[in-house]
Structure formats: C-alpha cells, structure tokens
Amino acid sequence: MKHFFFLLFVLFSCSVEARQNESALMPMPNNIVQGQGASFVVNPSKVAIYVNDSQLSFAAEKLQSVFLDRMGVEIQVSESSKSAVRLLIDSQMEGKEHYVLEVDKKGLLIKGATRQAIFYGIMTLDQLLLGDVCQTQAKKITPVKIDDAPRFPFRALMLDPARHFLPVKDVKFYIDQMARYKYNALQLHLTDDQGWRMEIKKRPELASKEHYTQEELKDLVEYAALRNVEIIPEIDVPGHTASVLSVYPELKCTSADSIEIEVGKTFNLMLCAADEKVYAVYSDVIAEVADVFTSDYIHLGGDESHIDSNWAKCKDCTEMMKREGYQKPSQLMIPFFNRIFSMLKQHDKKAVLWCELDNIYYPANDYLFPYPKDVVLVSWRYGLTPTCIDLTHKYGNQLILAPGEYAYLDYPQLKGDLPEFDNWGMPVTTLEKCYQFDPGYQLENEKQQHLLGVMGTLWGEAMKDINRVTYMTYPRGFALAEAGWTQMEHREWESFKSRLYPNLSDLMKEGVFVRVPFEIVKRDIR
C-alpha cells in the first residue's frame, strides 16, 4: 500500500506544472531563471566532471556523491575542460560565497571565486535534484540558471557541549547537516559551570572527565573547514566559571571563600578581577586555544556576571576599584577584559562577546559601551536586539544577531513540547515565529552595514545527546538559514512551508532526528 501511495505522489509530481526543481530549495536562492528547451541527461558513459583548480578536489568528490545518491550514477573526474560537468574557480567573480549554477541540454556549470562558492553551488544542485523527483529518476536535470550570494556573510549555529558533552562523531554529523543549508560557522561553548571540555596541556587538571583532546579538535576544525564551516571556540569569563574555580579555588573572590564549589551545582561565582593568578591561568589557556582553532575569533562570553555578589563584596576587588578610581565595581570589567584582549592580540585573535545590556546583574551601561571597535558583539537578550543594533552602529562594533525571541533554538517549539525541562522559564519559539525574523529589522541599508549575520543557539541543559540537539534544530534551522541567506523580497512563508517537507524527509532518511511541524498544516475539519 505504501508503494501505491508513493507511486501516486510521483505521478502527481510529474503531472503538475509547478517548478518542481524549486520545491526543495533551502535556503531560497536570490536569483533563479528557469531555462528553456531539453534537459541535461546525466549519462555516466558520456558525462564527466572537470575542475580547473586542485583545491576543488573535495567539491568534485561531493558532486560525485550527489549524482550517486540522487540518481544512482557514478560520474568520473576528467582532465578535459570540454567535460559536460564543470566546476570552475573564476577569480573575476565578486564575493567569497557568490556562485553561479547553469544547466542546459549540453551540461552543467558551477562557478565562483572560491571553493566555498563552488561547494554552495553543489548544495543547491543537490536540492534541485531532491525536489525535481521525476526528472531526477529519469537521470535528467531541468534547464535553469541560479546566480546566488548570501544576504549576510555570517550564518552560525552554536552547540553547548559544556553542559552535555557531545562526542566528536556527533559534532561532525551535525556539521554535515548544517553545511547543506549554507551555515558557515559553528560556535562551540566549551566551558561553563557544568564542565571544561578542552584539553589544556599546560593545565591538564582543567579538563573534565569527558572532554576533547587537542588532536580531536584540530581534526574537527579541518573536517568543518572542508565543508565551509568555521569553528569559533567559546571560553567563558569572568562568570560561568565554576569548572575552573573547582580546580583553582584561589581564583575566586574573597567573598566566596566559604563556598565549596561543585561542578554543575555551584553557580553565579566569578573570577576575581584583582588576582594576578587569574591572568596567568588564562594566558596559558588562550595560547593553546589560539593554536588549536584557526578562526580569527575567540568568544569570551562576558554575560550574566553576578557582580553585586562577587566583585562588589570582594576585598581585593574593592581595593582595586579604589586604586583605579572607579565608582562602581561593574567598571572593573574594563581592566579585566583589557587584560584578556591583550592576550588575544598576542596570538592575532579577536574577541567576541555577548552584548550585555540588562541591569539584572549590574547597573547597565557602566562599562559596556564603547567596547573596543574590533570586538564583535552578539545580541541575545529577549527584546533587546534593536538596542544592540543602535549602540553597535553608534560605536562602530560589528554585531551578530541571536535574539532570544527568534534564534534561541533551545526554547520549546510548541507549548507543551518536550516539557520535562523548563529551561529559562521558557517562552515558546514556534517555527513560524522563527521564520518571521528579519535580521535587518527593516532598517535602512546604512544602519545594517555593521550586521555580520545570524546565529541560532542551542544551550545544552536539556540536550543530553545529538538526537535532542537535531530535534531542537530542525526545522527551525531551515528558517534561520533562510533569514541569514535570502533577501527579504525572496522570502515567503507559504513557499517556505512547502519547501521544508522534502528537506525534513531527506534528513530523516539520513538518520537525523527532527521535529515534524504538524501545527502548520491547514486542516479543513467539517
């Protein structure tokens, strides 16, 4: 019976006049022109792949796997520039991720200025074949030209192995999926109150029982880079530091002298801003983090620091405050981060920090702006992203957008959905709400120029394994991918809804645990 219904689906797909080759595109490309005339026939005895640059070897392998997976044909790589399938580096094209994909009856061309652009062209081709069921089964590709580039240069997801450790194989599995949807950065939250997940050879006692070795992380960085994903490490300071304080209790404030620290159960403690030993430890840490990760950036956290219960009551910190001429203990963030920033600069790295504007933990705006202009900030607090945009525009900082109301993918996707862990008191972020996200907030172009892009965060309190992580990511990860890539004039909710179904089905076929968004299906109940 199930084969009968599948046959009906295929027959229906082949008979409708809609543009079937657009039906699985995710995110939607920014310029599509449907071609005319006969389709390109992928005959393995006549078709080969040509690449004009050795750096495209991985792209060629990926393209081979696309043809094999979608059409069941094995295509060889040829040295002939007259091959029907060509992957070309074209240095005259503008934009690191700008690609052109052209199909006509004679062949297939994907070109771009970089290997990253070529890779994205292949990902788009894969979705063309996924959506155009009948043509793909017939080993044909419908004529089309796609000239595409992203709206924003930075499109990220964030994993939190500090709270629940994720093995390397699972992180690689996650990277494989995010690369398909043109995400190009993965932030790894490596340290928090619940664990320290990176080996530091000069400070081996820091690492939790479950952690990544430096060799594992270097391998992960290389694996991600092949798939155009930059891994940005996050080492949280000065709060979220119970894991380091459990090893070095002497680094905490004098106000916490009587507190016994238990990893995962002790919260709200901070590193002492006045203790030189703090800077000695983090000098060693940052040196090794900088060596392992090739990204230009290291995320330093900087959020949710309980200054009033730590620095404000610490004998050493209050003495430092007086010595430096500060009026409030929150101003100690200035010398604290200046010391940490100088460590990054020694290793040619730049800082990323959460854009902290809330006054729950300390009086707002005592030290926050202006940040050094080379510090990238990330908006996150619910409802405060427009303020972050205004302030970063005013003071010249670049901004990544991860607003809680749109991009916190650890929030429930529907009321009552997996309610066993009520994270953050939990607002609900539905798929439709996530899709409504306009990272430019309808601002004029001049006020959007400092916006780097978007990031979806998956804080790990309730994510004990990779299945829960992917369940919370997809399908909302499709919506966020489109927010980062596709210009607003090419985004439309009804179109998105239709395009997500083949992608969800394909992810499930690959063994990805996803949430089926049953609530968006319109039902006419009589």
Side-chain angles (χ1 to χ4, degrees), residues 203-220:
R203 306 273 181 173
E205 61 275 11
L206 277 173
S208 301
K209 183 177 180 180
E210 287 186 297
H211 67 273
Y212 306 111
T213 67
Q214 291 194 11
E215 290 308 307
E216 286 175 326
L217 288 171
K218 287 179 179 178
D219 173 66
L220 193 62

Side-chain angles (χ1 to χ4, degrees), residues 68-70 126 130 173 177 180 502-514:
L68 184 60
D69 293 344
R70 299 296 180 204
D126 184 48
L130 171 63
F173 180 72
Q177 314 318 319
R180 295 173 62 181
N503 284 282
L504 281 177
S505 177
D506 201 54
L507 285 179
M508 287 189 281
K509 186 186 76 173
E510 297 296 318
V512 181
F513 198 62
V514 302

Side-chain angles (χ1 to χ4, degrees), residues 73-177:
V73 297
E74 295 186 12
I75 306 296
Q76 302 302 311
V77 177
S78 169
E79 294 185 358
S80 172
S81 61
K82 296 182 180 180
S83 298
V85 179
R86 295 177 295 154
L87 305 180
L88 305 180
I89 295 287
D90 182 354
S91 60
Q92 300 303 308
M93 290 182 61
E94 294 185 4
K96 182 179 179 180
E97 297 176 311
H98 172 207
Y99 68 91
V100 170
L101 185 161
E102 294 184 75
V103 181
D104 59 25
K105 67 179 181 180
K106 295 181 180 179
L108 163 69
L109 167 68
I110 300 175
K111 64 180 181 178
T114 66
R115 64 175 182 82
Q116 289 90 340
I118 303 297
F119 181 87
Y120 288 142
I122 294 170
M123 294 300 97
T124 297
L125 174 68
D126 184 48
Q127 293 170 356
L128 289 171
L129 301 184
L130 171 63
D132 208 356
V133 177
C134 297
Q135 286 283 80
T136 300
Q137 286 195 337
K139 300 177 175 54
K140 296 179 180 180
I141 308 177
T142 302
V144 69
K145 180 176 180 179
I146 298 177
D147 190 335
D148 193 21
R151 179 183 180 188
F152 294 101
F154 186 88
R155 304 168 306 280
L157 293 169
M158 188 216 78
L159 292 180
D160 180 13
R163 291 188 170 91
H164 278 112
F165 184 72
L166 296 169
V168 169
K169 66 178 179 61
D170 290 342
V171 180
K172 287 182 175 180
F173 180 72
Y174 193 79
I175 289 169
D176 286 338
Q177 314 318 319

